[in-house]
Amino acid sequence: GDSVTQTEGQVALSEEDFLTIHCNYSASGYPALFWYVQYPGEGPQFLFRASRDKEKGSSRGFEATYDKGTTSFHLRKASVQESDSAVYYCALGDSNYNVLYFGSGTKLTVEP
Amino acid sequence: DTTVKQNPRYKLARVGKPVNLICSQTMNHDTMYWYQKKPNQAPKLLLFYYDKILNREADTFEKFQSSRPNNSFCSLYIGSAGLEYSAMYLCASRLGFTSAETLYFGSGTRLTVL
């Protein structure tokens, strides 16, 4: 079945560091790929999406490029801030877009 | 208002007792979802309603029930809680089925079964 793998459970950085959170997927067909962010005490919220190979999604300084060849959608940000501390989820939409399947999440902690 | 509301925020239940969780949204979304989230695990889809049609995942088919009396409300029902049901339960809603439609999540209900 469709699945998403996030290899980093936790990432600790200092402000202005470069961020990479890895996301790899396994799916038949051509899934849509998403990043969601969850702040403490809140539910996950949509960050951005990409629907086709080589498409770049971006929001709030975060970006990721859909790579069908490597089945990846890695999240990057050039300079993180303390306010970026949150849990980040990679997700894929099945071919019918009925449901989203999520990765296990990566907790980002940014120290001032 | 893009809010999905879940009640209660925390719930304590005894083993063997029923549990009912509530979710509501006023965005007129036709699809509502329930996910189960345990520590260090991915949010796991339990079931979803498209309009009045209930779709349940195969591996949780017998463990969870749901009802949707109207477009705004959706409940998650556990007939007999076990310790393994302790988790965060996230409700989400979406308008439509295209990739352009995002999920809106509630803040969750943390269920503890003792």
Side-chain angles (χ1 to χ4, degrees), chain A residues 36 43 49 89 97-98 100 102, chain B residues 33 35 37 94 97 99-100:
Chain A
Y36 278 73
R49 77 173 68 79
Y89 292 98
Y97 303 122
N98 287 344
L100 290 191
F102 286 85
Chain B
Y33 302 81
Y35 284 84
K37 176 72 174 74
R94 181 168 73 166
F97 275 147
S99 64

Side-chain angles (χ1 to χ4, degrees), chain A residues 57-97:
Chain A
S58 64
S59 176
R60 309 182 210 173
F62 293 91
E63 63 179 39
T65 300
Y66 192 134
D67 190 329
K68 188 170 171 60
T70 59
T71 61
S72 66
F73 193 54
H74 304 319
L75 181 68
R76 293 186 167 90
K77 187 175 185 183
S79 177
V80 295
Q81 303 301 310
E82 188 178 4
S83 58
D84 294 327
S85 296
V87 178
Y88 292 82
Y89 292 98
C90 184
L92 70 81
D94 70 346
S95 57
N96 295 319
Y97 303 122

Side-chain angles (χ1 to χ4, degrees), chain B residues 17-23 32-36 45-49 52-69 73-81 85 89-91 111:
Chain B
K17 297 298 186 183
V19 176
N20 197 45
L21 307 180
I22 302 296
C23 177
M32 295 184 74
Y33 302 81
W34 282 100
Y35 284 84
Q36 180 191 63
L45 179 68
L46 300 177
L47 53 88
F48 68 95
Y49 263 100
K52 296 186 185 304
I53 300 171
L54 175 61
N55 298 269
R56 287 185 284 180
E57 292 293 281
D59 59 345
T60 57
F61 190 87
E62 296 181 347
K63 295 183 177 181
F64 299 93
Q65 299 286 336
S66 183
S67 67
R68 192 176 186 187
F73 288 89
C74 187
S75 67
L76 182 69
Y77 180 76
I78 301 167
S80 177
Y85 287 88
Y89 289 86
L90 294 167
C91 176
L111 173 65

